[in-house]
Amino acid sequence: MINKNIHSICYGGDYNPEQWTEDVWVQDMELMKEAGVNFVSLAIFSWALLQPDENTFDFTFLDKIMDLLHSNGIYVDLATATASQPPWLSIAYDDVMPVSADGVKMTHGSRQTYCPNSRSWRNAASHLVRTLAARYKNHPALAMWHINNEYGCHTAECYCDNCAVSFRKWLQKRYKSVGIVNEKWGTRFWSQYYYKWDEIYPPRATMGKKNPSHVLDYKRFMSDSLLDCYSMEYEILRQITPELKITTNFLMGIDKLDYFKWAKEIDIISWDSYPDPAPSYNPALNAFDHDLMRGFGNGRPFILMEQAPAQVNWRDINVNKHPGLMRLYSYQAVGRGADGVMFFQWRQSLRGAEKFHSACITHSGDGNSRIFREVRQLGHELKKLNCITGSTRKADIAIVFDYENMWAFEYEDRQSKSVTYRDQILNWYKPLYEMNIPVDIVGTDSNLKGYKILLAPLLYMTKEGYAEKIKRFTADGGEYITTFSSSIVDEWDGVFPGGYPGPLKELLGITIEEFCPLTPDMKTTIALTDIDDTIPETSKARLWYDIIHIVDAEIFAVFSDALGKGYPAITYNYFGKGKAWYIGTETEPDFKKAFLSKICLRQNINSLFSLPEGVELNIREQNGKKYAFILNFSIKNASIDIMQNSYIDLLTGQKIHDRLIIESGNIRILEISS
Ligand code: GAL
């Protein structure tokens, strides 16, 4: 539960009243109530107005709006306002502005432009947060804290002299001696050997390729530096308001912060979801991000902190959300575990960089718009879903996702730039999505208890302890599936001695002699070694093939074409009570689907309903009840056979018998009593 006073799904959005006169605030209150808004995020970018200079605070506007929201029954997700410092702070202290890898020092004029290791910035931010928290700690509207905003969105890296000093301290803590840094980074290569800590710099611009281990550690350091900024604020808030939940909103698509690590420090995961409304966009991508968020919180409900009511302003072509699409994506969020649906933003700005970003109240300024009507309809519907809050999802399959692995694999030089980590994960996620089989996304150190199948596509890096953990998972009866370019390097991006796949050789029962990346015009073919009536006998493969040698494993498929001809392509190895699979190429989507559905069948994993293509199913559960969110993303109406008649449509209250028709773009939420 977000707050003891809020018993329904949180609904509202970023509210920036400082851009408006007070008569507009009064109108906002009426429109918010009309739309069913019960929660707003406030003061995200208010620092400059709250603190005119270093020694003066002015809370006049915030006092007024907090009181006004409270008197209208609307709770506040109060931001700490540190997302963008005022110009006077950037100018007063030389260490505030970040420096790029090329040595360019930034200038004030946008947002979130500060060095995460600037002492002056941190002092000023903690002063602001302490003052703000002390002032509003007992305010009846305050329901949750929102620290900063989308850390790493604009400034995920800084290369200034302060960062150099902090980086050395971070390295000293991690490695204790320069000798170990040399060993882990392999600095005998290219004459990079260090004798003193002071010889180590951030990986700034160089004429040739940088040391990959150095680059990787700098990414870890930067993620940790921003996490330190967050923790600094968290500790202040925790001390002043011990009972309130604290969040910071994550963003997808930048992947610069190790969110699995961050999530351990966050009370409620929240994130900002901006699926492209263009018809070519696959909703599976957004579904994956929701599953990832749930994974960060170990299955706990999260908040959809921002979504666009219609179009954004930052794509090359900002396609509008057609009528109904915002509602569809809102229910995708709730179905996948969100207990809050929020927008960026409440009222559309008239000035500034985001003036063409959609909002609940459009430039017309009133509630007389298609967008507002949809916002209002959704607000009214969500009020019928109080029973959903707190419910969770169950999955028998998990997919491993690891940031450090991605950072290491995606070093500027690699075997193939056509291979990217996210795509590899998504290529295995999509068939399960299409089969409507629930999947959890886990980190390399997550608890695997209860999962029957664990997929680890392209897990290039094998961290200490991971091989043992996976051996235990498999020996206990789990099915482990991994793919090409896995278990090549240790956590410092150094190749395991003795060949691939490093510490997973015993589990997989194979060795890999060579890997062969392919250009788009190079294809190969795989052929099953045994006839199987559910999986195609031969299938095209692309992108990559491995030269695999069998030690103990069985061969499931071989390369049957010129490329890799005769060598195993897919293998499995019995290990204890389980099985470990290795897939040494990029198979076609149809093959993956057939292959996974066969494994799911054997493991007794299936979807609750059989649904037409393009119809997404999400199930949340609580107190012996299941809630099925059926979302028709396809352009056709869907006709669904209902096996029993104990389903209740939560929005209409009607009982559902035999057949259900869901029009294109529409949704149904069914309560299923077991
Ligand atoms: C988010 C950000 C918001 C707003 C929004 C526009 O990244 O948190 O402040 O800029 O994007 O889509």
Side-chain angles (χ1 to χ4, degrees):
M1 195 188 285
I2 286 157
N3 179 284
K4 61 180 184 333
N5 298 317
I6 305 177
H7 304 283
S8 48
I9 291 183
C10 295
Y11 190 56
D14 279 25
Y15 184 35
N16 297 307
E18 61 269 52
Q19 296 175 17
W20 304 95
T21 49
E22 290 185 29
D23 54 316
V24 180
W25 300 0
V26 175
Q27 198 195 352
D28 283 335
M29 295 306 113
E30 291 315 309
L31 288 166
M32 282 186 190
K33 284 189 286 188
E34 193 184 328
V37 166
N38 59 7
F39 200 53
V40 293
S41 302
L42 205 59
I44 294 178
F45 296 104
S46 304
W47 191 350
L49 292 188
L50 296 178
Q51 194 177 4
D53 63 49
E54 188 147 13
N55 304 310
T56 318
F57 286 98
D58 178 359
F59 290 105
T60 319
F61 105 83
L62 199 53
D63 285 352
K64 276 193 195 164
I65 197 75
M66 287 288 283
D67 291 349
L68 190 63
L69 285 161
H70 173 62
S71 61
N72 284 281
I74 298 164
Y75 285 96
V76 174
D77 165 42
L78 187 55
T80 55
T82 56
S84 277
Q85 74 276 6
W88 61 255
L89 180 60
S90 312
I91 294 160
Y93 297 96
D94 196 44
D95 63 337
V96 171
M97 284 289 121
V99 175
S100 72
D102 298 337
V104 178
K105 190 166 181 148
M106 301 296 137
T107 308
H108 201 100
S110 178
R111 67 172 175 182
Q112 202 195 67
T113 307
Y114 57 87
C115 163
N117 288 300
S118 155
R119 237 329 96 215
S120 319
W121 188 90
R122 285 196 190 185
N123 287 342
S126 58
H127 185 202
L128 170 68
V129 176
R130 202 166 285 116
T131 313
L132 188 82
R135 188 173 190 92
Y136 296 106
K137 64 180 178 192
N138 294 321
H139 198 286
L142 175 64
M144 189 168 82
W145 288 112
H146 181 116
I147 294 185
N148 204 283
N149 192 65
E150 289 191 344
Y151 278 102
C153 172
H154 305 294
T155 305
E157 278 159 5
C158 172
Y159 295 81
C160 73
D161 290 342
N162 264 319
C163 285
V165 172
S166 302
F167 182 45
R168 288 176 201 131
K169 286 195 189 133
W170 184 90
L171 290 170
Q172 281 164 11
K173 200 163 160 212
R174 188 170 161 90
Y175 297 111
K176 311 286 183 287
S177 81
V178 189
I180 301 183
V181 176
N182 282 315
E183 185 199 315
K184 299 297 187 193
W185 289 7
T187 55
R188 285 163 191 268
F189 180 81
W190 282 1
S191 185
Q192 291 168 352
Y193 202 88
Y194 299 108
Y195 289 92
K196 294 193 199 111
W197 290 109
D198 287 356
E199 292 166 1
I200 304 178
Y201 280 85
R204 293 174 178 160
T206 47
M207 299 303 270
K209 303 290 173 186
K210 296 172 191 172
N211 179 323
S213 312
H214 182 185
V215 172
L216 175 62
D217 262 349
Y218 204 71
K219 288 187 191 291
R220 289 178 171 132
F221 160 71
M222 271 296 149
S223 175
D224 284 358
S225 300
L226 284 164
L227 181 54
D228 282 348
C229 292
Y230 166 85
S231 300
M232 174 190 82
E233 295 195 25
Y234 184 95
E235 274 151 32
I236 298 169
L237 299 173
R238 187 41 71 247
Q239 208 188 2
I240 299 177
T241 51
E243 70 299 343
L244 283 187
K245 295 258 173 36
I246 302 172
T247 193
T248 184
N249 47 342
F250 285 168
L251 74 156
M252 281 287 108
I254 294 205
D255 293 330
K256 296 256 174 119
L257 307 180
D258 184 349
Y259 281 156
F260 271 107
K261 187 169 184 185
W262 276 64
K264 296 189 175 112
E265 318 294 328
I266 295 172
D267 300 340
I268 295 185
I269 301 298
S270 65
W271 84 288
D272 304 341
S273 154
Y274 289 97
D276 190 345
S280 56
Y281 180 84
N282 183 347
L285 307 186
N286 202 51
F288 173 80
D289 289 340
H290 283 307
D291 289 351
L292 191 52
M293 296 300 145
R294 215 178 49 254
F296 295 145
N298 288 317
R300 295 194 312 271
F302 56 90
I303 298 177
L304 169 61
M305 188 57 91
E306 291 180 20
Q307 67 168 336
Q311 74 260 69
V312 298
N313 62 308
W314 41 260
R315 290 198 170 93
D316 288 348
I317 300 176
N318 296 303
V319 174
N320 201 346
K321 284 185 177 166
H322 60 71
L325 192 61
M326 176 278 283
R327 177 171 176 256
L328 204 49
Y329 275 117
S330 300
Y331 284 116
Q332 184 187 55
V334 179
R336 289 190 179 260
D339 273 3
V341 175
M342 311 279 287
F343 296 101
F344 180 85
Q345 60 176 328
W346 170 252
R347 188 177 274 275
Q348 193 167 24
S349 304
L350 296 177
R351 290 163 193 276
E354 292 183 322
K355 59 185 179 297
F356 293 123
H357 194 291
S358 62
C360 303
I361 304 298
T362 63
H363 282 153
S364 72
D366 52 29
N368 198 9
S369 67
R370 187 270 299 181
I371 295 174
F372 182 74
R373 284 191 288 278
E374 289 195 31
V375 168
R376 183 175 56 198
Q377 181 197 336
L378 181 63
H380 287 240
E381 287 178 3
L382 292 177
K383 290 209 182 310
K384 299 180 184 161
L385 301 180
N386 290 359
C387 57
I388 304 286
T389 58
S391 61
T392 51
R393 282 168 61 104
K394 283 211 179 84
D396 293 316
I397 306 186
I399 298 182
V400 179
F401 188 86
D402 184 64
Y403 285 93
E404 294 178 313
N405 176 66
M406 169 167 31
W407 297 340
F409 179 78
E410 293 182 1
Y411 170 67
E412 54 183 327
D413 270 359
R414 56 182 186 266
Q415 301 93 320
S416 168
K417 286 189 184 156
S418 304
V419 182
T420 60
Y421 183 53
R422 229 172 207 275
D423 281 350
Q424 285 300 305
I425 296 278
L426 286 165
N427 288 352
W428 286 94
Y429 177 83
K430 282 183 208 157
L432 292 163
Y433 170 87
E434 284 163 18
M435 292 188 276
N436 279 310
I437 296 201
V439 173
D440 282 345
I441 313 298
V442 297
T444 45
D445 63 356
S446 302
N447 188 345
L448 300 178
K449 205 164 171 281
Y451 294 118
K452 296 178 178 171
I453 300 174
L454 183 64
L455 273 147
L458 206 144
L459 200 58
Y460 165 74
M461 173 186 288
T462 298
K463 297 184 191 170
E464 278 176 4
Y466 180 79
E468 292 66 39
K469 175 176 167 161
I470 295 308
K471 281 183 192 166
R472 246 176 288 126
F473 169 80
T474 314
D476 290 347
E479 235 164 303
Y480 184 68
I481 305 171
T482 194
T483 69
F484 61 87
S485 207
S486 288
S487 207
I488 308 289
V489 298
D490 60 22
E491 31 190 306
W492 296 275
D493 202 16
V495 174
F496 289 114
Y500 324 127
L504 290 191
K505 271 190 235 153
E506 188 200 351
L507 173 74
L508 296 165
I510 52 168
T511 60
I512 293 151
E513 190 182 344
E514 291 176 60
F515 41 70
C516 314
L518 305 176
T519 57
D521 54 347
M522 293 167 86
K523 295 250 168 26
T524 181
T525 308
I526 59 167
L528 301 196
T529 47
D530 285 324
I531 302 296
D532 185 304
D533 42 6
T534 57
I535 305 180
E537 213 179 314
T538 62
S539 175
K540 285 276 171 232
R542 57 187 188 91
L543 211 59
W544 188 288
Y545 72 94
D546 280 327
I547 304 287
I548 302 173
H549 296 288
I550 299 293
V551 180
D552 293 314
E554 313 285 327
I555 302 176
F556 185 77
V558 292
F559 291 109
S560 58
D561 223 354
L563 297 172
K565 191 163 184 167
Y567 280 103
I570 301 179
T571 64
Y572 58 94
N573 193 30
Y574 291 106
F575 194 86
K577 290 189 229 153
K579 234 177 179 187
W581 292 85
Y582 185 83
I583 301 178
T585 186
E586 179 62 29
T587 53
E588 293 297 322
D590 284 354
F591 177 89
K592 288 195 178 75
K593 208 168 184 174
F595 174 76
L596 288 171
S597 61
K598 175 138 189 124
I599 297 186
C600 288
L601 195 69
R602 205 179 43 236
Q603 292 279 5
N604 205 13
I605 301 171
N606 39 44
S607 169
L608 193 64
F609 298 108
S610 157
L611 297 174
E613 205 184 315
V615 182
E616 180 181 321
L617 173 69
N618 293 301
I619 312 269
R620 287 181 71 166
E621 303 185 23
Q622 179 156 256
N623 304 328
K625 285 196 173 139
K626 285 193 170 81
Y627 303 100
F629 291 72
I630 312 179
L631 319 174
N632 189 355
F633 276 101
S634 83
I635 49 168
K636 294 191 199 139
N637 295 345
S639 160
I640 298 156
D641 277 331
I642 295 294
M643 316 300 179
Q644 341 166 349
N645 58 5
S646 60
Y647 299 162
I648 294 171
D649 182 322
L650 275 185
L651 294 184
T652 63
Q654 279 167 353
K655 270 201 158 187
I656 305 291
H657 305 284
D658 52 55
R659 183 164 287 272
L660 189 61
I661 305 289
I662 307 183
E663 306 77 34
S664 164
N666 208 346
I667 61 111
R668 288 296 181 95
I669 308 166
L670 307 181
E671 181 187 282
I672 307 168
S673 305
S674 42

